[in-house]
């Protein structure tokens, strides 16, 4: 396991038990982001870096009982928290690294990633792996329940020009990884970038 993976696991393991209580009001933002994806009943969707699985209930609601919902995360403690919250009823939980997903090529219709970009060790390569598992024309949603400026203020830091979530950086990063950005919103109440898998 790389140093980056170890750091990510240590960071989230230490926070897993009280993660949901620290951010109790994020549910509506997750639901709105999932709604913006325009999923259809029967779709197959991955929540990449699912954490405690907060996106799984709205994803299940969007794809219906005949759809497929998978929540993949690198940190066992986060998946355990998802089970304690009962979110395993809304999707299959998978201990997996987004750098090498145990999923067939073009087997999904969409990927949802909340807070994902900041934790990717090799963003271009990792986004290509997400593109691999999504069919051409499928959707990628990169989401955070608050925008970049609000998040930086919460963490006591400043936004830098190198921030991968800045539109000027994210658009070419996605384009080089098989995705075409179709929508970008960065406001205090949410961050949401939508992209389509290139054919």
């Amino acid at each position: 396991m790389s140093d980056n993976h170890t750091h990510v696991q240590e960071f989230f393991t230490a926070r897993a038990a009280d993660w949901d209580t620290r951010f109790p009001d994020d549910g509506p933002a997750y639901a709105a982001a999932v709604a913006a994806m325009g999923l259809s009943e029967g779709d197959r969707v991955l929540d990449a870096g699912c954490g405690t699985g907060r996106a799984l209930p709205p994803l299940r609601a969007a794809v219906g009982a005949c759809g497929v919902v998978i929540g993949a995360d690198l940190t066992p403690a986060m998946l355990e928290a998802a089970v304690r919250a009962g979110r395993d009823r809304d999707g299959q939980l998978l201990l997996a690294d987004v750098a090498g997903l145990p999923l067939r090529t073009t087997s999904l219709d969409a990927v949802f990633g909340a807070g994902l970009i900041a934790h990717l060790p090799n963003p271009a390569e990792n986004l290509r792996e997400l593109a691999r598992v999504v069919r051409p024309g499928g959707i990628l949603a990169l989401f955070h329940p608050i925008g970049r400026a609000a998040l930086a203020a919460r963490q006591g830091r400043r936004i830098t020009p190198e921030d991968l979530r800045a539109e000027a950086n994210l658009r070419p990063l996605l384009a080089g990884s098989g995705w075409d950005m179709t929508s970008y919103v960065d406001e205090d109440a949410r961050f949401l970038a939508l992209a389509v898998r290139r054919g």
Side-chain angles (χ1 to χ4, degrees):
M1 186 180 301
S2 73
D3 288 344
N4 184 277
H5 289 107
T6 302
H7 172 74
V8 168
Q9 279 192 328
E10 289 173 351
F11 178 88
F12 285 108
T13 296
R15 292 161 175 80
D18 69 342
W19 188 262
D20 286 350
T21 58
R22 291 173 65 205
F23 309 106
D25 303 322
D26 289 348
Y30 273 80
V34 168
M37 295 173 73
L39 296 171
S40 299
E41 191 159 331
D43 277 353
R44 299 152 299 166
V45 61
L46 169 69
D47 183 0
C50 68
T52 62
R54 289 183 292 172
L56 298 182
L59 288 171
R60 172 56 65 199
V63 304
C66 61
V68 174
V69 177
I70 302 168
D73 203 275
L74 184 65
T75 306
M78 288 300 244
L79 296 176
E80 290 161 12
V83 171
R84 283 194 303 274
R87 296 183 185 123
D88 55 324
R89 292 189 296 268
D90 293 305
Q92 176 187 348
L93 298 177
L94 187 62
L95 181 63
D97 183 353
V98 297
L101 291 163
L103 299 171
R104 291 189 323 272
T105 298
T106 67
S107 60
L108 301 175
D109 298 293
V111 174
F112 182 87
L116 181 67
I117 285 283
H119 299 289
L120 295 178
N122 300 293
E125 183 180 313
N126 302 148
L127 289 167
R128 274 193 293 276
E129 173 64 359
L130 294 179
R132 179 189 69 80
V133 300
V134 174
R135 64 168 175 78
I139 302 295
L140 171 68
L142 297 174
F143 164 74
H144 200 281
I146 59 175
R148 293 187 310 128
L151 181 61
R154 176 191 285 175
Q155 296 173 342
R157 61 175 179 80
R158 288 201 162 125
I159 297 175
T160 66
E162 296 80 32
D163 184 349
L164 290 180
R165 290 161 292 194
E167 185 173 9
N169 297 330
L170 187 57
R171 187 177 294 277
L173 174 64
L174 287 167
S177 304
W179 301 96
D180 292 320
M181 188 189 294
T182 57
S183 173
Y184 181 90
V185 176
D186 181 18
E187 54 197 22
D188 282 349
R190 73 168 172 167
F191 174 90
L192 182 62
L194 297 176
V196 172
R197 171 73 165 88
R198 204 174 299 128

